[in-house]
């Protein structure tokens, strides 16, 4: 059984000293929840400092993005070897903010997934529909397309190394989380796609939910058998709130 996975995506928040303070607080609070895998994704500028702060604990490090080339003339970009050098274990790929605000297509997401896997980094692949797409009944179609392109050419053993995050765009930063029923339906759909695409058993990959996860709704999410963990934005910026979410998942094993 894999432990539940709780990831804090700090997005573009925090100086180095703020990041170290937050990471140290999370590390301290997580010591009591050894049944949960806790991962922090600070901004690039704080990765080195947070990596050092986490050295002696079980909390792991993720990057929020990567470039798919190994090196070269790509001003402003960060390669997988740079992330490995900082002891990153995971990398978030295809976050809806990257897709919407920075023009990341499904094809770019696929290149990033491939680059991460080839360097031994574990991608957390984000998928999710907009409100308009949901209203038009396009949720499954959108997620199927995002997954089909992102997983193109990957072997079963490569796909097994992925974690998936269902993040409906309309739930991110809005205070309006998806209902447990909506989440369970999409997670089941993703598992079915993985079974058909790669013959994966239902529990081969963890599927997280993300979008307005807070201390007051985390327990309900943790109680859903389909939810293997959460990807937390705003509520991961406060030690107390994030620790409370981690605790909610402490009693569940996936
Ligand atoms: P919020 O938790 O702030 O809604 O953000 C979710 C998210 O985008 C995590 O990656």
């Amino acid at each position: 059984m894999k432990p539940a996975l709780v990831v804090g995506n700090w997005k573009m928040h925090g100086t180095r000293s703020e990041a170290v303070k937050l990471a140290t607080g999370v590390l301290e609070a997580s010591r009591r929840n050894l049944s949960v895998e806790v991962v922090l994704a600070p901004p690039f500028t704080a990765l080195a400092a947070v990596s050092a702060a986490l050295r002696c604990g079980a909390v792991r490090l993720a990057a929020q993005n990567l470039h798919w080339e190994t090196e070269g003339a790509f001003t402003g970009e960060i390669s997988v070897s740079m992330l490995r050098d900082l002891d990153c274990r995971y990398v978030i790929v295809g976050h809806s903010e990257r897709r919407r605000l920075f023009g990341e297509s499904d094809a770019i997401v696929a290149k990033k997934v491939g680059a991460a896997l080839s360097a031994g980094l574990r991608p957390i692949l984000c998928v999710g529909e907009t409100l308009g797409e949901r209203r038009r009944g396009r949720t499954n179609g959108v997620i199927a397309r995002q997954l089909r392109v992102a997983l193109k050419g990957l072997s079963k053993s490569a796909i097994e190394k992925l974690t998936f995050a269902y993040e409906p765009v309309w739930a991110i930063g809005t205070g309006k989380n998806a209902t447990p029923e909506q989440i369970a339906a999409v997670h089941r759909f993703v598992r079915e796609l993985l079974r058909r695409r790669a013959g994966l058993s239902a529990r081969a990959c963890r599927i997280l939910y993300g979008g307005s996860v807070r201390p007051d709704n985390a327990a309900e999410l943790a109680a859903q058998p389909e939810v293997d963990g959460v990807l937390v934005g705003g509520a991961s910026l406060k030690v107390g709130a994030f620790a409370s979410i981690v605790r909610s998942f402490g009693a569940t094993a996936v």
Side-chain angles (χ1 to χ4, degrees), residues 27 30 43 54 72 81 91 114 131 139-141 154 177 222:
L27 184 62
S30 305
L54 296 180
S81 58
V91 59
L131 189 56
T139 299
N140 286 359
L154 295 182
N177 60 297

Side-chain angles (χ1 to χ4, degrees), residues 7-11 92 95-97 126 165 167-169 171-177 209-214 230-237 245:
V7 184
N9 175 10
W10 295 354
K11 307 191 180 183
I92 298 171
H95 193 282
S96 67
E97 286 151 17
C126 302
E167 295 209 309
V169 178
I172 295 176
T174 58
K176 245 186 82 177
N177 60 297
Y209 166 75
S212 298
V213 177
R214 299 177 305 269
V230 279
L231 182 50
V232 187
S236 70
L237 296 172
I245 293 167

Side-chain angles (χ1 to χ4, degrees), residues 140-213:
N140 286 359
V142 167
I143 286 163
R145 188 205 71 229
Q146 290 172 335
L147 287 177
R148 189 181 64 249
V149 180
L151 304 182
K152 199 167 171 202
L154 295 182
S155 66
K156 176 180 181 182
S157 63
I159 296 174
E160 274 172 343
K161 296 197 174 72
L162 295 179
T163 297
F164 297 87
Y166 169 50
E167 295 209 309
V169 178
W170 49 270
I172 295 176
T174 58
K176 245 186 82 177
N177 60 297
T179 65
E181 293 73 27
Q182 288 170 322
I183 298 167
V186 172
H187 285 207
R188 272 197 296 273
F189 178 68
V190 171
R191 287 188 214 283
E192 175 59 18
L193 285 180
L194 295 176
R195 188 187 66 74
R196 277 196 263 144
R197 163 67 176 76
L200 292 187
S201 64
R203 292 292 159 185
C205 295
R206 283 179 292 193
I207 306 181
L208 316 181
Y209 166 75
S212 298
V213 177

Side-chain angles (χ1 to χ4, degrees), residues 50 61 83 86 96 99 120 159 166 198 242 246:
V50 171
L61 196 61
L83 299 179
L86 294 166
S96 67
R99 293 178 190 260
I159 296 174
Y166 169 50
F242 190 64
V246 171

